[in-house]
Amino acid sequence: MLEQFWGLSSKPFLNTPSLDFLFESSEFSESYARLWYNMQDLRGGICVVTGEIGTGKTMLSRALLNKLNGDDRFSTALVLNPQLTPNQLIKLILTEFGAVKKPARSKYQLLEQLNGFLLEEYEQGRTPVVLIDEAQMLKKPLLEELRLMTNFETNTTKLIQVVLFGQPELNKIINRIPQFKQRIAIRYHIEPLDLDETTAYIKHRLQCAGVSLESVFSADSLEKVFQYTGGIPRVINTLCMNALMAGFIRHTRPITAELVQDVWADLEGR
Ligand SMILES: Nc1ncnc2c1ncn2[C@@H]1O[C@H](COP(=O)(O)OP(=O)(O)O)[C@@H](O)[C@H]1O
Ligand SMILES: [Mg+2]
């Protein structure tokens, strides 16, 4: 078995946002710190995190969600697929917050329900946070709806915080809507990992699965991994998973640069 061959206690390179494998890269740490600062102190209303596909936006959203859920000063609503009408979005947010037993029908009533919930939470000393993944799919009317939501406020504080996670085109969409852009308190673009952090990332994931980096990858094979993947975590996972498989089949241990090259050619269909 593959895991036995490598001495692994679990699968180290699954493309799932499991926090057990969370690697606190400099990009992760900085974006996370900024978002957390907003939640705790700034309470600016809207935060936007962008990054190319596979750079770790969903992972970041899960880490933040987990932190917020473990803190009784916050309540959370997670929206995973925002291809919705404005009414559906408000209903989903109400449901995710567990705000009402039955969402109302009309827009006016839905907003009344939301406002009522937000005021209750405020009185309880809690900050409701809406996290929206794949936010590049938000249509203009939905962005407008979210902007209006952050108008719910007391004299001193916003009653709701919204965090958008999306691919780079989200920036273009937002930049075309000045009234939305002006409301953004925190904006961060997640860059891919550099060579050192790509190595550290792989090392961390292997350690989480119970083995050392050196027993699995040669130094020059790691350079290849970085070269091919550009430091994008999802691509690193896929390449490393395939390299583990190829190494197992060919009995090549540790994995060589040549093997990584072969595996990459296969993955690229060359
Ligand atoms: N900081 C991280 N620590 C550990 N694994 C990560 C990290 N960022 C990304 N990954 C891995 O890469 C995969 C793709 O990341 P993901 O967050 O889904 O990217 P995005 O949402 O930007 O497309 C995740 O499923 C996870 O396995
Ligand atoms: Mg994602």
Side-chain angles (χ1 to χ4, degrees):
M1 246 188 64
L2 184 148
E3 273 85 30
Q4 244 166 342
F5 176 78
W6 292 109
L8 294 161
S9 57
S10 61
K11 295 185 170 62
F13 297 113
L14 287 183
N15 271 319
T16 55
S18 162
L19 295 178
D20 293 342
F21 286 93
L22 180 68
F23 171 65
E24 298 190 5
S25 66
S26 56
E27 289 289 308
F28 174 89
S29 302
E30 173 147 11
S31 50
Y32 185 81
R34 289 199 198 192
L35 292 175
W36 189 236
Y37 169 67
N38 177 69
M39 297 311 153
Q40 295 223 97
D41 299 314
L42 190 62
R43 298 155 154 281
I46 301 175
C47 303
V48 176
V49 177
T50 51
E52 296 290 346
I53 311 167
T55 47
K57 301 178 296 294
T58 296
M59 192 77 167
L60 173 65
S61 72
R62 294 308 157 89
L64 183 66
L65 183 73
N66 190 51
K67 175 92 168 166
L68 293 168
N69 283 343
D71 189 324
D72 55 18
R73 291 172 301 164
F74 299 97
S75 49
T76 58
L78 177 65
V79 178
L80 291 174
N81 181 353
Q83 284 180 305
L84 305 162
T85 64
N87 275 14
Q88 285 170 337
L89 177 70
I90 304 167
K91 275 186 199 170
L92 181 61
I93 289 173
L94 282 169
T95 313
E96 279 285 311
F97 275 133
V100 287
K101 286 209 179 71
K102 203 165 177 281
R105 285 181 164 225
S106 77
K107 172 93 169 268
Y108 176 79
Q109 286 170 321
L110 282 169
L111 288 173
E112 285 253 304
Q113 286 184 329
L114 183 62
N115 198 16
F117 170 72
L118 298 183
L119 282 170
E120 269 169 39
E121 290 293 283
Y122 176 71
E123 277 157 22
Q124 302 282 326
R126 269 192 303 268
T127 305
V129 183
V130 180
L131 305 169
I132 303 188
D133 205 0
E134 302 291 355
Q136 75 283 350
M137 294 196 299
L138 286 166
K139 294 274 181 297
K140 203 173 166 188
L142 288 183
L143 287 168
E144 188 59 9
E145 207 59 63
L146 290 168
R147 181 180 73 85
L148 292 174
M149 255 178 224
T150 60
N151 280 348
F152 289 129
E153 57 196 348
T154 66
N155 286 336
T156 52
T157 184
K158 301 236 175 263
L159 293 179
I160 191 165
Q161 300 293 319
V162 176
V163 192
L164 306 184
F165 300 88
Q167 290 166 23
E169 49 276 29
L170 176 62
N171 278 327
K172 290 195 196 120
I173 299 168
I174 287 174
N175 288 345
R176 285 197 293 266
I177 315 175
Q179 67 272 31
F180 190 92
K181 188 179 167 192
Q182 277 190 9
R183 296 297 186 89
I184 300 172
I186 303 269
R187 207 165 174 179
Y188 194 81
H189 184 76
I190 304 181
E191 295 290 347
L193 306 173
D194 62 16
L195 171 62
D196 286 347
E197 286 206 309
T198 297
T199 301
Y201 171 87
I202 296 169
K203 182 176 181 175
H204 175 77
R205 292 194 72 116
L206 286 170
Q207 275 171 352
C208 291
V211 297
S212 72
L213 179 70
E214 296 73 28
S215 65
V216 181
F217 286 97
S218 70
D220 54 346
S221 75
L222 290 165
E223 271 176 42
K224 284 274 176 219
V225 172
F226 173 69
Q227 190 188 322
Y228 293 136
T229 62
I232 295 184
R234 185 182 287 123
V235 188
I236 298 173
N237 284 350
T238 306
L239 179 54
C240 288
M241 192 156 57
N242 279 273
L244 289 183
M245 206 157 23
F248 164 61
I249 292 164
R250 297 183 200 173
H251 285 263
T252 306
R253 185 171 47 195
I255 288 163
T256 60
E258 201 188 1
L259 188 134
V260 170
Q261 204 171 336
D262 286 356
V263 167
W264 183 253
D266 286 341
L267 283 172
E268 288 288 281
R270 277 194 244 119

